Amino acid sequence: MFTVSQTSRAWFIDRARQAREERLVQKERERAAIGIQAHVRSFLCRSRLQREIRREIDEFFKVDGSGSSKRSALCVFKIARKLLFLFRIKEDNERFEKLCCCILSSMDAENDPKVWYVSLALSKDLTLLWIKQIKDILRYCCELLGQLKPEILQDSKLITLYLTMLVTFTDTSTWKILRVKGESLRPAMNHICANIMGHLNQHGFYSVLQILLTRGLARPRPCLSKGTLTAAFSLALRPVIAAQFSDNLIRPFLIHIMSVPALVTHLSTVTPERLTVLESHDMLRKFITFLRDKDRCRDVCESLEGCHTLCLMGNLLHLGSLSPRVLEEETDGFVSLLTQMLCYCQKYVSQKKSNLTHWHPVLGWFSQSVDYGLNESMPLITKQLQFLWGVPLIRIFFNDILSKKLLESQEPAHAQPASPQNVLPVKNLLKRAFQKSASVRNILKPVGGKCVDSVEVQKVCNICVLYQTSLTTLTQIRLQILTGLTYLDDLLPKLWAFICELGPHGGLKLFLECLNNDTEESKQLLAMLMLFCDCSRHLITILDDIEVYEEQISFKLEELVTISSFLNSFMFKMIWDGIVENAKGETLELFQSVHGWLMSPLPHSGGRERPRQDKMKKQALGKME
């Protein structure tokens, strides 16, 4: 009997628990149903409200576009608030376009302050609301600009519209209200514009301009009109100028604007007035001052990566070619920033193809991701990079060397055409070519006397490091660089004379000491020697017999003998000390440069050399050995 009672009790408790759980589930169902119904009613209500608001907006623009009188600024403000309240880019892009047209039309009205949209900024009750509204409108303009394609005609018209909105409300120069109300309001209005530009910068203003400029200019023929390009570049400059060229705004300007492929080239072609603005604000000097700092330059390069770092470098070089006076005054800083950019790219340059490398038309195999969208603009970028080894920049960079005269007691004989009337006897030719007379330059051998840590030597070393780095980084245009560096006939002989003067005892001993020193100073001196070897080797291989043995272009034969003896001793020291390969077993570039010079073939004239030239060549070879 006791067992039956316990069983009944357990059954009763279980029934009560199940009933309680069912009641809880039922309550949850009712609560969920009420929540779903509330969300549905809310959605339906919002949808109905949005339809009504959109219908009202459409009616407003329909009436406004039917040729009726101008709407007041307050009406435009109210309809804009309603549009922004429910704005969705995909659904309301046409309405937003009409709103922008309406606002710009109100700004063009003559002598009617109530129509001017900007007049609401003077209302005490609406100033803050108006500022917030124009910020939102301009922010949506930026978002839409980032989605448009300049090559499409309809998109091109919208780009012009939205750029006009940005241009109009980020500068007070076109505001007619200031003519009516007085210039005393201009400082306050300028402050509002600065506030608007700061808001846009926080929401990716420069990124949008970069996308727009890249889409329009990264192609063989730009698809941006003069007005569009002028507006976009003017907008990019305004925050920088308003902030008085602070570092916080120069950095995004360099990263997003100056890295646009061949931007300076297109500006100089389409709208050269913008370059005049850059020059009037001395922007190149400010760029050099900002980027010469290693930390800032590395930060900019890491933000851009290799491909766009080359674009920035090309624009800076083109800008420098247009401002030679600035380069003469800021040579050290300009050389420093170019070297840092090339060194950053060089870290990712590979000698062979692998699964981790990509092909770049200037850098070769590159271990960073490559933006193939830049391929169409690569010829223009390469043309900009060519300014680095162009004659004007070489004269500016090597001015300290080129300004000096090689010591001679008389001028070297000028080249004369080889004709039967002026061909001298072989005996006289040999005598003229090999005798050590007063016509031979005094600086032929390492004589020493120039302090290595002097400002002049450090400057030349830095320049040589720049060009040597360009040779090892821009692998696909290496021959162009060598040809440019050897264009001036007097650069290499004067560089050799400079090398001979280094150190207390002359260049040979100094460079031999540098082999066993792992200091930055030694690396720079060896880079100078490498650059001389690479350039002079390139020059010798492209000259023919007449140019080398008779005209003696760039180098006299006695100098070639001295150089070969110098490099021969230097290479022997490298081999003797085992300084030929690095830790990875790869041949050092220094050894390759010196060995390549010594093993370079002597020039020939393609089977057209005369017997007397053969004899001169043999005697010259014998003397070099």
Side-chain angles (χ1 to χ4, degrees), residues 229-259:
L229 182 56
T230 301
F233 193 73
S234 299
L235 284 170
L237 271 177
R238 279 181 182 176
V240 181
I241 297 173
Q244 298 181 350
F245 311 100
S246 68
D247 293 345
N248 292 334
L249 283 171
I250 286 182
R251 178 185 179 274
F253 187 84
L254 286 168
I255 292 175
H256 296 291
I257 305 302
M258 292 305 294
S259 65

Side-chain angles (χ1 to χ4, degrees), residues 180-311:
V180 177
K181 300 293 184 180
E183 288 294 322
S184 59
L185 293 175
R186 190 174 295 277
M189 295 300 183
N190 287 336
H191 183 72
I192 291 176
C193 289
N195 189 3
I196 292 172
M197 286 189 291
H199 175 77
L200 294 177
N201 287 333
Q202 294 176 359
H203 290 82
F205 177 59
Y206 276 119
S207 299
V208 170
L209 290 180
Q210 181 185 21
I211 293 172
L212 175 64
L213 291 172
T214 302
R215 286 177 178 172
L217 301 180
R219 53 185 66 238
R221 284 187 68 183
C223 58
L224 293 180
S225 64
K226 179 178 180 179
T228 304
L229 182 56
T230 301
F233 193 73
S234 299
L235 284 170
L237 271 177
R238 279 181 182 176
V240 181
I241 297 173
Q244 298 181 350
F245 311 100
S246 68
D247 293 345
N248 292 334
L249 283 171
I250 286 182
R251 178 185 179 274
F253 187 84
L254 286 168
I255 292 175
H256 296 291
I257 305 302
M258 292 305 294
S259 65
V260 173
L263 173 66
V264 179
T265 300
H266 293 298
L267 287 175
S268 62
T269 304
V270 180
T271 172
E273 300 84 5
R274 295 301 92 193
L275 293 180
T276 306
V277 175
L278 284 179
E279 185 178 354
S280 64
H281 291 288
D282 205 10
M283 292 299 293
L284 178 60
R285 194 188 307 273
K286 292 177 173 61
F287 294 154
I288 294 174
T289 303
F290 180 84
L291 289 173
R292 69 185 304 169
D293 181 82
K294 292 185 178 179
D295 293 335
R296 292 173 181 169
C297 188
R298 182 174 60 251
D299 173 53
V300 170
C301 292
E302 290 176 352
S303 300
L304 292 173
E305 296 189 342
C307 297
H308 291 275
T309 298
L310 279 185
C311 297

Side-chain angles (χ1 to χ4, degrees), residues 439-464:
S439 64
V440 179
R441 295 174 185 143
N442 294 334
I443 302 177
L444 284 177
K445 297 181 180 180
V447 294
K450 193 180 291 293
C451 187
V452 177
D453 57 358
S454 65
V455 176
E456 179 188 3
V457 174
Q458 291 299 315
K459 180 179 179 181
V460 176
C461 284
N462 291 334
I463 295 169
C464 291

Side-chain angles (χ1 to χ4, degrees), residues 578-623:
I579 312 176
V580 179
E581 297 179 346
N582 57 19
K584 298 180 180 180
E586 300 171 344
T587 304
L588 294 175
E589 293 179 359
L590 175 61
F591 182 83
Q592 292 178 346
S593 297
V594 177
H595 182 262
W597 194 98
L598 292 171
M599 299 301 294
S600 59
L602 285 175
H604 60 85
S605 56
R608 294 180 288 105
E609 53 185 337
R610 296 182 292 267
R612 68 183 183 87
Q613 294 173 350
D614 289 331
K615 188 173 182 180
M616 290 174 61
K617 182 175 179 180
K618 290 179 181 179
Q619 294 202 17
L621 278 170
K623 191 164 186 178

